[in-house]
């Protein structure tokens, strides 16, 4: 079956949704073109649990529902049902779609990163990917928090809705010893399980979040943050087994959150920093890609390219992935942030 035309790319997506009832983005907001093509995989507990693979192409996210999720075993062929295109803003969506709405259920950010054509022809990488999509033989390389290396999407010649096969190519990231879906049950953005996301009623698309007043956010000029120890450190990802592919996500965590208190805490388990009213983010960096995730799961990488470049340089200098928790702030000329 031939692919849908770009002109009506999001028509089907919008037709299936009532944006007055669902927290999902409508795709009306223009998104600036990135330096690299982005991808996201969302774990989705709708009528049936499945994984949604989304590849940025032509200003939208080309999307496939993968019932069993990806496999690192090249001998395993995963069915991938092509579905309607989704808006770019969907890349950062983690939360709950109300029951009764299309796709109602819990959505987790299971993997994020960038991708490129496996065999660049020297021209525009997006054009090369587009040609592979049109042909139904899409060979790509992932550089993400969980998926790495070469993969292929192959469109099958069957009547009805487009059906593809999603297959891992044989390379240094392929393995038969790791069940990547079973071993990574948490969000790369927040470190939460599906149950924890579902139980958080405030975890909706940013436009619907009930925000604290500025007076509450700025009531104190000093934030006290306890270093994770003991049971609290369980929020971080467990150490992977030796069989896990070497290049995987840095620690899975959510930005630290300051709360109001009547007194400054004592003890060596606390550290202090000045209070800045900026944007709190977790920077998840591999050697080639960086995402800047807010507490609500929104990626600010396109908004702050200079920070992305600096974090990428740091990861490359360390020669390994890293995670940074920090505040993006704008200082006056000559002002220095002191900690």
């Amino acid at each position: 079956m031939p692919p849908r035309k770009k002109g009506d790319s999001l028509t089907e997506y919008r037709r299936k949704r009532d944006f007055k009832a669902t927290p999902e983005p409508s795709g009306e907001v223009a998104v600036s073109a990135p330096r690299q093509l982005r991808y996201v995989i969302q774990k989705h507990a709708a009528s049936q649990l499945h994984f949604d693979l989304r590849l940025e192409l032509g200003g939208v996210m080309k999307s496939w529902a993968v019932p069993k999720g990806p496999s690192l075993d090249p001998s395993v062929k995963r069915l991938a049902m092509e579905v309607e295109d989704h808006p770019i803003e969907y890349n950062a969506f983690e939360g709950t779609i109300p029951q009764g709405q299309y796709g109602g259920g819990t959505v987790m950010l299971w993997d994020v990163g960038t991708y490129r054509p496996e065999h660049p022809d020297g021209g525009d990488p997006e054009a090369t990917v587009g040609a592979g999509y049109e042909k139904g033989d899409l060979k790509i390389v992932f550089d993400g928090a969980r998926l790495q290396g070469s993969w292929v999407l192959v469109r099958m010649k069957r009547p009805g809705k487009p059906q593809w096969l999603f297959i891992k190519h044989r390379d240094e990231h392929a393995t038969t010893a790791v069940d990547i879906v079973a071993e990574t049950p948490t969000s790369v953005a927040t470190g939460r399980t599906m149950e924890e996301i579902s139980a958080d009623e405030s975890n909706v698309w940013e436009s619907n979040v009930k925000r604290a007043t500025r007076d509450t956010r700025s009531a104190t000029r000093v934030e006290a943050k306890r270093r994770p120890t003991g049971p609290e450190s369980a929020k971080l990802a467990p150490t992977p087994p030796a069989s896990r592919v070497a290049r995987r996500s840095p620690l899975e965590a959510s930005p630290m959150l300051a709360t109001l208190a009547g007194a400054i805490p004592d003890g060596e388990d606390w550290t202090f920093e000045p209070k800045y009213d900026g944007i709190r983010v977790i920077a998840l960096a591999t050697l080639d890609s960086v995402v800047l995730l807010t507490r609500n799961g929104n990626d600010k990488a396109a908004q702050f390219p200079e920070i992305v470049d600096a974090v990428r340089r740091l990861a490359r200098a360390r020669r390994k992935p890293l995670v940074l928790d920090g505040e993006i702030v704008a200082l006056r000329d000559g002002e220095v942030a002191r900690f």
Side-chain angles (χ1 to χ4, degrees), residues 43-210:
K43 189 175 181 180
H44 189 179
S47 56
Q48 292 183 336
L49 182 65
H50 64 278
F51 290 75
D52 291 315
L53 167 65
R54 310 193 195 282
L55 304 179
E56 183 172 14
L57 185 63
V60 297
M61 300 302 291
K62 294 292 182 184
S63 300
W64 293 261
V66 185
K68 295 184 178 181
S71 172
L72 302 181
D73 185 349
S75 67
V76 175
K77 299 177 181 179
R78 294 299 203 206
L79 177 66
M81 304 291 295
E82 187 175 1
V83 298
E84 71 275 8
D85 297 340
H86 281 54
I88 299 291
E89 304 100 290
Y90 217 96
N91 286 8
F93 178 61
E94 177 176 289
T96 301
I97 302 172
Q99 294 297 329
Q101 298 300 312
Y102 179 74
T106 304
V107 178
M108 170 195 287
L109 280 169
W110 186 82
D111 193 23
V112 295
T114 60
Y115 81 99
R116 63 184 186 276
E118 182 178 36
H119 303 295
D121 56 10
D124 180 11
E126 187 168 13
T128 303
V129 171
Y133 171 81
E134 297 286 345
K135 184 180 178 181
D137 184 17
L138 184 50
K139 296 181 176 68
I140 53 181
V141 176
F142 286 127
D143 183 14
R146 286 179 172 152
L147 297 191
Q148 299 285 339
S150 175
W151 297 70
V152 64
L153 278 159
V154 181
R155 187 167 56 230
M156 296 186 287
K157 296 181 180 180
R158 292 183 179 180
K161 294 184 178 180
Q163 299 181 38
W164 300 62
L165 294 175
F166 185 38
I167 309 168
K168 180 75 184 80
H169 277 163
R170 297 186 184 278
D171 60 16
E172 67 271 26
H173 303 291
T175 179
T176 60
V178 176
D179 184 341
I180 188 70
V181 169
E183 291 194 13
T184 54
T186 56
S187 164
V188 295
T190 63
R192 297 181 300 176
T193 64
M194 294 290 279
E195 292 75 15
E196 290 170 328
I197 295 171
S198 178
D200 184 359
E201 296 180 356
S202 67
N203 193 48
V204 296
W205 186 249
E206 186 176 27
S207 61
N208 290 347
V209 171
K210 294 180 180 179

Side-chain angles (χ1 to χ4, degrees), residues 202-228:
S202 67
N203 193 48
V204 296
W205 186 249
E206 186 176 27
S207 61
N208 290 347
V209 171
K210 294 180 180 179
R211 300 179 180 276
T213 64
R214 183 172 180 84
D215 290 341
T216 300
R217 291 196 307 254
S218 306
T220 178
R221 302 307 301 172
V222 175
E223 291 182 351
K225 299 187 173 137
R226 186 164 56 179
R227 300 184 182 96

